[in-house]
Amino acid sequence: MRKKIVAGNWKMNENLQEGVALAKEINETLKADKPNCGVIICTPFIHLASVAQVLDRNVVELGAENCADKEKGAYTGEVSAAMVKSTGAQYVILGHSERRQYYHETPEILKEKVQLALANGLKVIFCCGETLDEREANKQNEVVKAELDGSVFNLSAEEWKNIVLAYEPIWAIGTGKTATSDQAEEMLAYIRTIVADKYGKEAAEDTTILYGGSCKPSNAAELFAKPNIDGGLIGGASLKAADFKGIIDAWKK
Ligand code: PEP
C-alpha cells in the first residue's frame, strides 16, 4: 500500500524564530489530533537544524527545499546533500519549477542532485509539471515524461523506492488556479503508467504521487478522493498551521 503524504514547501518564507514557532504549532496540532497520512515540512536550509529539535518524527517529518549538485568543496553558498542529512532532515524537494525557472536547473543538474541526495540517505520529492503554453498545446504528457526521463528514470529499482513524485502544473502554483481534480487525476494516472513501463506495475502501484498547485482546505478533499492522487505538495497554505491541518484532515473525509 503506497504512502499518503501531505508535504509543505515553505519556500523563502519565515525567519528562523517564525519558522521554529510554526513548526512547533504544526507539531502540537498534529500530536493532539493524529493525521491519517504522512506529514512532511520542507523548510529553508537555515531552519532545518532548529526545526529538527521541535518535531516529533512519528508525526511530522522534515525536508529541505533543495541541495547542491556537487558533493563538497569550493562551491561558495551551496549546501550539500550530506549537510542536509546531518541536520536530521529525511527528505529533499528537487526539480521544483521555481528552481528550474529562476535558477536554471536543467534535467542533467537535477539528475546529479537526485543521485547525491539518495547516496546520502535522503528521500527525494521530485517535482514535474508543464507551463500554461505547454498545456494549451496539449504537450503536458510529453513535458512531464521528458522531465522524469531526464532526471529520475535512470535510477535503479532499489533507488526508486526512495522517490516521491509531485505533479505541479506551473500555471497552478501560487496562482490560486488549481487544476481540476479530473485534470490532476488524468496526469497522475499517466505518470503511473510511465512509471509502470519503467519499473513494473507493482513498483508503480507503490509509488506515492502528489498533486501540487494552489491546494487548500476547500479543494483538498476532492483532489485526494481521486484514486491516483496520494496527497499534496503545499506551498502557500503550508505557512498557516490551521490551513495545513485543514488539508491534512482531507484524508479523514
Ligand atoms: C509549490 O510551490 O510547491 C506549491 C504547490 O505552491 P502553492 O500551493 O502555493 O501553489
Side-chain angles (χ1 to χ4, degrees):
M1 205 24 199
R2 57 185 179 257
K3 195 173 173 184
K4 312 289 184 201
I5 292 176
V6 173
N9 172 16
W10 288 4
K11 310 194 186 191
M12 197 172 72
N13 292 297
E14 312 302 323
N15 68 24
L16 179 59
Q17 291 74 25
E18 291 163 347
V20 171
L22 175 59
K24 270 188 190 160
E25 191 184 355
I26 291 170
N27 191 64
E28 290 315 307
T29 310
L30 295 177
K31 263 174 74 177
D33 182 14
K34 289 258 162 31
N36 257 0
C37 62
V39 175
I40 307 163
I41 54 177
C42 297
T43 78
F45 293 131
I46 65 136
H47 297 69
L48 291 171
S50 306
V51 166
Q53 306 296 317
V54 303
L55 296 182
D56 175 346
R57 297 313 174 80
N58 296 316
V59 186
V60 188
E61 295 182 285
L62 179 63
E65 300 171 14
N66 184 27
C67 70
D69 62 337
K70 303 285 191 295
E71 203 173 333
K72 65 186 293 191
Y75 301 101
T76 303
E78 288 295 298
V79 175
S80 71
M83 292 172 182
V84 168
K85 179 71 181 174
S86 73
T87 65
Q90 299 121 298
Y91 285 85
V92 61
I93 297 174
L94 293 173
H96 193 282
S97 59
E98 288 154 13
R99 300 290 320 168
R100 294 179 193 263
Q101 192 181 345
Y102 306 137
Y103 301 98
H104 314 294
E105 294 192 358
T106 61
E108 294 72 30
I109 291 173
L110 291 168
K111 188 173 171 181
E112 294 300 318
K113 291 188 176 201
V114 170
Q115 289 286 358
L116 285 165
L118 295 176
N120 282 283
L122 293 168
K123 293 181 183 168
V124 173
I125 301 174
F126 188 81
C127 305
C128 55
E130 80 286 354
T131 62
L132 187 56
D133 283 354
E134 288 161 344
R135 178 157 282 264
E136 282 171 355
N138 201 27
K139 290 196 167 144
Q140 63 273 19
N141 289 9
E142 191 182 313
V143 168
V144 164
K145 182 168 187 304
E147 288 178 340
L148 299 177
D149 269 336
S151 306
V152 289
F153 276 175
N154 60 303
L155 298 172
S156 69
E158 211 39 46
E159 288 170 325
W160 185 259
K161 292 180 183 158
N162 291 313
I163 299 288
V164 170
L165 296 178
Y167 166 62
E168 300 205 305
I170 296 168
W171 46 272
I173 297 180
T175 57
K177 195 172 168 187
T178 321
T180 65
S181 54
D182 287 340
Q183 282 172 321
E185 168 62 15
E186 191 181 11
M187 176 56 85
L188 268 60
Y190 169 70
I191 293 173
R192 212 175 290 288
T193 62
I194 57 176
V195 172
D197 291 345
K198 191 77 206 164
Y199 294 101
K201 201 163 173 2
E202 204 180 318
E205 282 305 315
D206 287 346
T207 301
T208 296
I209 313 180
L210 310 178
Y211 165 78
S214 300
C215 185
K216 30 189 189 270
S218 58
N219 59 24
E222 187 189 336
L223 286 159
F224 297 174
K226 295 289 184 185
N228 281 289
I229 302 182
D230 302 321
L233 180 56
I234 319 298
S238 70
L239 294 168
K240 288 211 171 78
D243 287 350
F244 194 47
K245 169 87 166 37
I247 294 171
I248 291 162
D249 284 350
W251 279 122
K252 294 188 175 173
K253 292 190 179 135

